[in-house]
Amino acid sequence: MSFSETIKQKGNTDEWYTPRHAVELILPYAKGKVWCPFDSDDSYFPKVFRENGIECENTHISTGYDFFEYEPATYDCIISNPPYSKRQAVLERLYKLGKPFAMLVNVNGIFDNRKRFELFSNNGVQLFIPRGRTNFFQSEETQKSSPNFQSIYVCRNLLPKDIVFE
């Protein structure tokens, strides 16, 4: 089943939205024009970037933009919250694209996958580690209060040093 078909399935649990404060944390590191490949117009990523004068192109599978098949003509970095079930494939494509990036991901198991470990060790990785846990939501009624995992931004060529604690 393709990425497009998977994400559109009824009951899919990969569509969780990032709260404003988690986007504001990474805002100082946004460079030039930002591509947000997993974000609708309602997402806080494009909203916060634009409110702060940062040019942003946001795309989402629901509007026909499949991250694995589409790339904007011009952009300087990629920042978003990717679908959890596609984390490995997303990271592989990000490294292949070669642009600076920051992806907000669940830290659980991020380094215990052999392919991911090799991907990071061969290509470099930066970590932006916010204090506490991020409360994602599907709607205002479905906000996850205190999820059982911490989320971090996995980055490449975006931060001033390899590990940033915020």
Side-chain angles (χ1 to χ4, degrees):
M1 183 178 298
S2 74
F3 176 57
S4 301
E5 292 166 338
T6 302
I7 209 75
K8 290 178 183 177
Q9 279 184 330
K10 185 178 179 188
N12 185 300
T13 59
D14 254 1
E15 191 73 18
W16 285 88
Y17 304 108
T18 305
R20 175 181 284 278
H21 73 87
V23 178
E24 290 170 342
L25 291 173
I26 201 73
L27 180 66
Y29 306 101
K31 297 176 179 180
K33 181 181 178 182
V34 178
W35 176 28
C36 299
F38 308 104
D39 298 277
S40 68
D41 290 335
D42 294 328
S43 168
Y44 281 117
F45 281 103
K47 282 182 180 179
V48 169
F49 292 144
R50 289 180 183 126
E51 288 169 4
N52 287 276
I54 296 171
E55 187 179 359
C56 177
E57 179 173 344
N58 59 291
T59 56
H60 192 273
I61 195 70
S62 67
T63 56
Y65 293 96
D66 187 326
F67 172 72
F68 298 104
E69 298 172 7
Y70 174 78
E71 180 181 6
T74 60
Y75 65 99
D76 299 297
C77 68
I78 307 165
I79 302 175
S80 194
N81 169 11
Y84 178 78
S85 69
K86 302 294 180 193
R87 176 168 63 172
Q88 180 67 30
V90 167
L91 288 167
E92 288 173 2
R93 177 131 200 269
L94 287 167
Y95 279 102
K96 199 174 283 188
L97 291 171
K99 297 280 190 168
F101 68 81
M103 291 289 121
L104 185 62
V105 299
N106 175 342
V107 74
N108 293 345
I110 194 72
F111 297 108
D112 66 357
N113 174 291
R114 189 184 95 252
K115 280 185 174 182
R116 231 178 348 263
F117 186 88
E118 290 173 2
L119 188 67
F120 294 153
S121 62
N122 292 335
N123 297 287
V125 66
Q126 297 176 317
L127 304 175
F128 181 88
I129 305 169
R131 181 186 326 225
R133 297 178 180 175
T134 302
N135 297 327
F136 297 95
F137 61 96
Q138 287 183 310
S139 68
E140 295 305 319
E141 298 80 41
T142 60
Q143 187 163 356
K144 280 196 177 221
S145 57
S146 192
N148 60 356
F149 56 85
Q150 182 178 14
S151 294
I152 64 172
Y153 281 97
V154 171
C155 309
R156 180 162 187 252
N157 296 334
L158 195 75
L159 305 175
K161 54 186 181 177
D162 287 341
I163 299 177
V164 174
F165 292 91
E166 186 65 38

